[in-house]
mmCIF file of all heavy atoms in Angstrom:
data_model
loop_
_atom_site.group_PDB
_atom_site.id
_atom_site.type_symbol
_atom_site.label_atom_id
_atom_site.label_comp_id
_atom_site.label_asym_id
_atom_site.label_seq_id
_atom_site.Cartn_x
_atom_site.Cartn_y
_atom_site.Cartn_z
ATOM 1 N N GLY A 1 105.729 99.738 114.350
ATOM 2 C CA GLY A 1 107.114 99.771 114.038
ATOM 3 C C GLY A 1 107.382 100.535 112.761
ATOM 4 O O GLY A 1 106.509 101.185 112.175
ATOM 5 N N ALA A 2 108.623 100.503 112.316
ATOM 6 C CA ALA A 2 109.046 101.327 111.172
ATOM 7 C C ALA A 2 109.435 100.594 109.928
ATOM 8 O O ALA A 2 110.097 101.098 109.089
ATOM 9 C CB ALA A 2 110.290 102.204 111.641
ATOM 10 N N ASP A 3 109.006 99.348 109.860
ATOM 11 C CA ASP A 3 109.398 98.534 108.660
ATOM 12 C C ASP A 3 108.839 99.129 107.374
ATOM 13 O O ASP A 3 107.614 99.320 107.223
ATOM 14 C CB ASP A 3 108.855 97.098 108.859
ATOM 15 C CG ASP A 3 109.275 96.228 107.723
ATOM 16 O OD1 ASP A 3 110.429 95.719 107.706
ATOM 17 O OD2 ASP A 3 108.532 96.081 106.683
ATOM 18 N N ALA A 4 109.755 99.517 106.538
ATOM 19 C CA ALA A 4 109.314 100.261 105.262
ATOM 20 C C ALA A 4 108.432 99.328 104.336
ATOM 21 O O ALA A 4 107.564 99.848 103.686
ATOM 22 C CB ALA A 4 110.607 100.637 104.492
ATOM 23 N N ASP A 5 108.757 98.101 104.280
ATOM 24 C CA ASP A 5 107.954 97.189 103.463
ATOM 25 C C ASP A 5 106.525 97.033 103.907
ATOM 26 O O ASP A 5 105.546 97.069 103.117
ATOM 27 C CB ASP A 5 108.564 95.821 103.288
ATOM 28 C CG ASP A 5 109.876 95.853 102.450
ATOM 29 O OD1 ASP A 5 109.799 96.552 101.354
ATOM 30 O OD2 ASP A 5 110.826 95.210 102.814
ATOM 31 N N ARG A 6 106.338 96.917 105.227
ATOM 32 C CA ARG A 6 104.966 96.834 105.831
ATOM 33 C C ARG A 6 104.221 98.142 105.472
ATOM 34 O O ARG A 6 103.073 98.145 105.147
ATOM 35 C CB ARG A 6 105.011 96.516 107.250
ATOM 36 C CG ARG A 6 105.449 95.097 107.598
ATOM 37 C CD ARG A 6 105.400 94.790 109.082
ATOM 38 N NE ARG A 6 105.781 93.471 109.357
ATOM 39 C CZ ARG A 6 107.022 93.149 109.736
ATOM 40 N NH1 ARG A 6 107.988 94.054 109.811
ATOM 41 N NH2 ARG A 6 107.379 91.862 109.941
ATOM 42 N N ARG A 7 104.899 99.211 105.710
ATOM 43 C CA ARG A 7 104.247 100.533 105.522
ATOM 44 C C ARG A 7 103.874 100.737 104.002
ATOM 45 O O ARG A 7 102.844 101.217 103.635
ATOM 46 C CB ARG A 7 105.155 101.679 105.955
ATOM 47 C CG ARG A 7 105.291 101.702 107.461
ATOM 48 C CD ARG A 7 105.919 103.009 108.028
ATOM 49 N NE ARG A 7 105.934 102.937 109.400
ATOM 50 C CZ ARG A 7 104.885 103.155 110.226
ATOM 51 N NH1 ARG A 7 103.731 103.446 109.681
ATOM 52 N NH2 ARG A 7 105.045 103.145 111.549
ATOM 53 N N ARG A 8 104.815 100.271 103.168
ATOM 54 C CA ARG A 8 104.469 100.331 101.701
ATOM 55 C C ARG A 8 103.323 99.536 101.325
ATOM 56 O O ARG A 8 102.489 99.965 100.556
ATOM 57 C CB ARG A 8 105.718 99.953 100.889
ATOM 58 C CG ARG A 8 105.470 99.865 99.382
ATOM 59 C CD ARG A 8 106.625 99.217 98.626
ATOM 60 N NE ARG A 8 107.087 97.936 99.185
ATOM 61 C CZ ARG A 8 106.464 96.800 99.045
ATOM 62 N NH1 ARG A 8 105.425 96.699 98.328
ATOM 63 N NH2 ARG A 8 107.031 95.722 99.586
ATOM 64 N N CYS A 9 103.232 98.366 101.832
ATOM 65 C CA CYS A 9 102.122 97.490 101.582
ATOM 66 C C CYS A 9 100.816 98.010 102.039
ATOM 67 O O CYS A 9 99.780 98.010 101.323
ATOM 68 C CB CYS A 9 102.392 96.030 102.087
ATOM 69 S SG CYS A 9 101.273 94.793 101.470
ATOM 70 N N ALA A 10 100.741 98.511 103.238
ATOM 71 C CA ALA A 10 99.564 99.103 103.798
ATOM 72 C C ALA A 10 99.132 100.305 103.019
ATOM 73 O O ALA A 10 97.931 100.488 102.628
ATOM 74 C CB ALA A 10 99.773 99.535 105.260
ATOM 75 N N GLU A 11 100.054 101.141 102.592
ATOM 76 C CA GLU A 11 99.720 102.372 101.844
ATOM 77 C C GLU A 11 99.348 101.962 100.412
ATOM 78 O O GLU A 11 98.484 102.623 99.832
ATOM 79 C CB GLU A 11 100.957 103.277 101.809
ATOM 80 C CG GLU A 11 100.657 104.612 101.071
ATOM 81 C CD GLU A 11 99.539 105.430 101.735
ATOM 82 O OE1 GLU A 11 99.267 105.219 102.900
ATOM 83 O OE2 GLU A 11 98.946 106.243 101.011
ATOM 84 N N ALA A 12 99.856 100.804 99.903
ATOM 85 C CA ALA A 12 99.433 100.334 98.555
ATOM 86 C C ALA A 12 97.954 100.070 98.540
ATOM 87 O O ALA A 12 97.287 100.457 97.591
ATOM 88 C CB ALA A 12 100.221 99.109 98.239
ATOM 89 N N ALA A 13 97.451 99.396 99.557
ATOM 90 C CA ALA A 13 95.973 99.119 99.645
ATOM 91 C C ALA A 13 95.191 100.421 99.538
ATOM 92 O O ALA A 13 94.197 100.536 98.815
ATOM 93 C CB ALA A 13 95.612 98.323 100.836
ATOM 94 N N ARG A 14 95.581 101.385 100.323
ATOM 95 C CA ARG A 14 94.889 102.718 100.342
ATOM 96 C C ARG A 14 94.977 103.401 99.008
ATOM 97 O O ARG A 14 93.933 103.984 98.528
ATOM 98 C CB ARG A 14 95.425 103.574 101.438
ATOM 99 C CG ARG A 14 95.103 102.978 102.804
ATOM 100 C CD ARG A 14 95.615 104.008 103.909
ATOM 101 N NE ARG A 14 95.637 103.327 105.125
ATOM 102 C CZ ARG A 14 96.791 102.853 105.715
ATOM 103 N NH1 ARG A 14 97.965 103.093 105.193
ATOM 104 N NH2 ARG A 14 96.747 102.180 106.838
ATOM 105 N N GLN A 15 96.194 103.369 98.368
ATOM 106 C CA GLN A 15 96.321 104.086 97.134
ATOM 107 C C GLN A 15 95.634 103.330 95.981
ATOM 108 O O GLN A 15 95.074 103.995 95.021
ATOM 109 C CB GLN A 15 97.826 104.215 96.727
ATOM 110 C CG GLN A 15 98.526 105.197 97.697
ATOM 111 C CD GLN A 15 97.894 106.606 97.668
ATOM 112 O OE1 GLN A 15 97.572 107.083 96.622
ATOM 113 N NE2 GLN A 15 97.776 107.219 98.834
ATOM 114 N N VAL A 16 95.599 102.022 96.004
ATOM 115 C CA VAL A 16 94.839 101.236 95.002
ATOM 116 C C VAL A 16 93.363 101.568 95.129
ATOM 117 O O VAL A 16 92.711 101.768 94.130
ATOM 118 C CB VAL A 16 95.124 99.767 95.062
ATOM 119 C CG1 VAL A 16 94.141 98.967 94.208
ATOM 120 C CG2 VAL A 16 96.583 99.444 94.752
ATOM 121 N N PHE A 17 92.869 101.682 96.370
ATOM 122 C CA PHE A 17 91.471 102.101 96.577
ATOM 123 C C PHE A 17 91.212 103.448 96.024
ATOM 124 O O PHE A 17 90.298 103.698 95.221
ATOM 125 C CB PHE A 17 91.132 102.060 98.084
ATOM 126 C CG PHE A 17 89.780 102.513 98.324
ATOM 127 C CD1 PHE A 17 88.702 101.685 98.451
ATOM 128 C CD2 PHE A 17 89.453 103.913 98.475
ATOM 129 C CE1 PHE A 17 87.369 102.087 98.658
ATOM 130 C CE2 PHE A 17 88.182 104.339 98.732
ATOM 131 C CZ PHE A 17 87.197 103.469 98.806
ATOM 132 N N ARG A 18 92.078 104.431 96.345
ATOM 133 C CA ARG A 18 91.932 105.755 95.855
ATOM 134 C C ARG A 18 91.956 105.870 94.351
ATOM 135 O O ARG A 18 91.064 106.466 93.716
ATOM 136 C CB ARG A 18 93.020 106.647 96.396
ATOM 137 C CG ARG A 18 92.906 108.176 96.046
ATOM 138 C CD ARG A 18 94.181 108.937 96.425
ATOM 139 N NE ARG A 18 95.398 108.465 95.800
ATOM 140 C CZ ARG A 18 95.767 108.675 94.568
ATOM 141 N NH1 ARG A 18 94.990 109.345 93.754
ATOM 142 N NH2 ARG A 18 96.927 108.221 94.085
ATOM 143 N N ARG A 19 92.914 105.214 93.737
ATOM 144 C CA ARG A 19 92.967 105.243 92.278
ATOM 145 C C ARG A 19 91.784 104.557 91.579
ATOM 146 O O ARG A 19 91.286 104.968 90.521
ATOM 147 C CB ARG A 19 94.280 104.650 91.798
ATOM 148 C CG ARG A 19 95.484 105.515 92.211
ATOM 149 C CD ARG A 19 96.783 104.894 91.934
ATOM 150 N NE ARG A 19 97.068 104.791 90.533
ATOM 151 C CZ ARG A 19 98.090 104.151 90.010
ATOM 152 N NH1 ARG A 19 99.073 103.560 90.802
ATOM 153 N NH2 ARG A 19 98.290 104.099 88.693
ATOM 154 N N THR A 20 91.382 103.456 92.186
ATOM 155 C CA THR A 20 90.183 102.694 91.621
ATOM 156 C C THR A 20 88.996 103.479 91.787
ATOM 157 O O THR A 20 88.058 103.556 90.909
ATOM 158 C CB THR A 20 90.075 101.354 92.328
ATOM 159 O OG1 THR A 20 91.353 100.655 92.121
ATOM 160 C CG2 THR A 20 89.024 100.482 91.624
ATOM 161 N N ARG A 21 88.758 104.204 92.961
ATOM 162 C CA ARG A 21 87.631 105.116 93.104
ATOM 163 C C ARG A 21 87.645 106.207 92.040
ATOM 164 O O ARG A 21 86.604 106.523 91.478
ATOM 165 C CB ARG A 21 87.676 105.762 94.508
ATOM 166 C CG ARG A 21 86.519 106.695 94.684
ATOM 167 C CD ARG A 21 86.583 107.413 96.112
ATOM 168 N NE ARG A 21 85.715 108.562 96.048
ATOM 169 C CZ ARG A 21 86.012 109.770 95.677
ATOM 170 N NH1 ARG A 21 87.202 110.006 95.226
ATOM 171 N NH2 ARG A 21 85.113 110.713 95.680
ATOM 172 N N GLU A 22 88.817 106.732 91.697
ATOM 173 C CA GLU A 22 88.904 107.761 90.636
ATOM 174 C C GLU A 22 88.500 107.173 89.276
ATOM 175 O O GLU A 22 87.835 107.787 88.507
ATOM 176 C CB GLU A 22 90.376 108.284 90.563
ATOM 177 C CG GLU A 22 90.693 109.210 91.701
ATOM 178 C CD GLU A 22 92.185 109.525 91.835
ATOM 179 O OE1 GLU A 22 92.914 109.131 90.926
ATOM 180 O OE2 GLU A 22 92.539 110.218 92.727
ATOM 181 N N ASP A 23 88.829 105.869 89.056
ATOM 182 C CA ASP A 23 88.410 105.150 87.816
ATOM 183 C C ASP A 23 86.869 105.069 87.833
ATOM 184 O O ASP A 23 86.191 105.187 86.791
ATOM 185 C CB ASP A 23 88.989 103.748 87.727
ATOM 186 C CG ASP A 23 90.505 103.807 87.566
ATOM 187 O OD1 ASP A 23 91.030 104.701 86.917
ATOM 188 O OD2 ASP A 23 91.122 102.871 87.989
ATOM 189 N N TRP A 24 86.283 104.794 88.992
ATOM 190 C CA TRP A 24 84.818 104.730 89.106
ATOM 191 C C TRP A 24 84.186 106.098 88.806
ATOM 192 O O TRP A 24 83.155 106.150 88.082
ATOM 193 C CB TRP A 24 84.425 104.291 90.503
ATOM 194 C CG TRP A 24 82.974 104.441 90.901
ATOM 195 C CD1 TRP A 24 81.909 103.754 90.363
ATOM 196 C CD2 TRP A 24 82.371 105.312 91.815
ATOM 197 N NE1 TRP A 24 80.712 104.141 90.924
ATOM 198 C CE2 TRP A 24 81.016 105.134 91.807
ATOM 199 C CE3 TRP A 24 82.980 106.343 92.614
ATOM 200 C CZ2 TRP A 24 80.142 105.889 92.637
ATOM 201 C CZ3 TRP A 24 82.083 107.065 93.420
ATOM 202 C CH2 TRP A 24 80.732 106.870 93.420
ATOM 203 N N LEU A 25 84.748 107.157 89.258
ATOM 204 C CA LEU A 25 84.243 108.516 88.965
ATOM 205 C C LEU A 25 84.291 108.801 87.469
ATOM 206 O O LEU A 25 83.481 109.577 86.964
ATOM 207 C CB LEU A 25 85.025 109.542 89.764
ATOM 208 C CG LEU A 25 84.853 109.592 91.238
ATOM 209 C CD1 LEU A 25 85.855 110.488 91.918
ATOM 210 C CD2 LEU A 25 83.377 109.996 91.603
ATOM 211 N N ARG A 26 85.130 108.117 86.727
ATOM 212 C CA ARG A 26 85.243 108.280 85.291
ATOM 213 C C ARG A 26 84.232 107.381 84.589
ATOM 214 O O ARG A 26 84.168 107.336 83.321
ATOM 215 C CB ARG A 26 86.617 108.017 84.765
ATOM 216 C CG ARG A 26 87.593 109.129 85.122
ATOM 217 C CD ARG A 26 88.925 109.010 84.442
ATOM 218 N NE ARG A 26 89.872 108.059 85.068
ATOM 219 C CZ ARG A 26 90.612 108.397 86.123
ATOM 220 N NH1 ARG A 26 90.485 109.517 86.746
ATOM 221 N NH2 ARG A 26 91.418 107.492 86.640
ATOM 222 N N GLY A 27 83.451 106.513 85.319
ATOM 223 C CA GLY A 27 82.387 105.794 84.701
ATOM 224 C C GLY A 27 82.646 104.342 84.386
ATOM 225 O O GLY A 27 81.942 103.712 83.587
ATOM 226 N N LEU A 28 83.611 103.678 85.027
ATOM 227 C CA LEU A 28 83.928 102.278 84.751
ATOM 228 C C LEU A 28 82.919 101.392 85.415
ATOM 229 O O LEU A 28 82.391 101.716 86.554
ATOM 230 C CB LEU A 28 85.321 101.916 85.190
ATOM 231 C CG LEU A 28 86.452 102.126 84.167
ATOM 232 C CD1 LEU A 28 86.766 103.613 84.089
ATOM 233 C CD2 LEU A 28 87.669 101.380 84.541
ATOM 234 N N THR A 29 82.672 100.265 84.846
ATOM 235 C CA THR A 29 81.778 99.229 85.480
ATOM 236 C C THR A 29 82.520 98.630 86.627
ATOM 237 O O THR A 29 83.739 98.706 86.784
ATOM 238 C CB THR A 29 81.445 98.154 84.427
ATOM 239 O OG1 THR A 29 82.646 97.399 84.108
ATOM 240 C CG2 THR A 29 80.902 98.674 83.154
ATOM 241 N N GLY A 30 81.770 97.911 87.458
ATOM 242 C CA GLY A 30 82.310 97.201 88.585
ATOM 243 C C GLY A 30 83.414 96.219 88.146
ATOM 244 O O GLY A 30 84.477 96.140 88.740
#
């Protein structure tokens, strides 16, 4: 479906992963 809030939430998980991976590339601990 086209619910904007569901889409935002799903994309949030992917973007948080992407940004956290970038933090890992900068050398952060787990």
Side-chain angles (χ1 to χ4, degrees):
D3 183 84
D5 288 317
R6 288 184 181 95
R7 291 194 177 283
R8 174 190 47 81
C9 193
E11 187 59 23
R14 292 182 197 105
Q15 290 303 318
V16 171
F17 177 93
R18 181 189 59 77
R19 292 172 69 185
T20 305
R21 179 184 165 272
E22 289 170 1
D23 294 329
W24 168 70
L25 290 170
R26 287 191 278 281
L28 271 76
T29 67

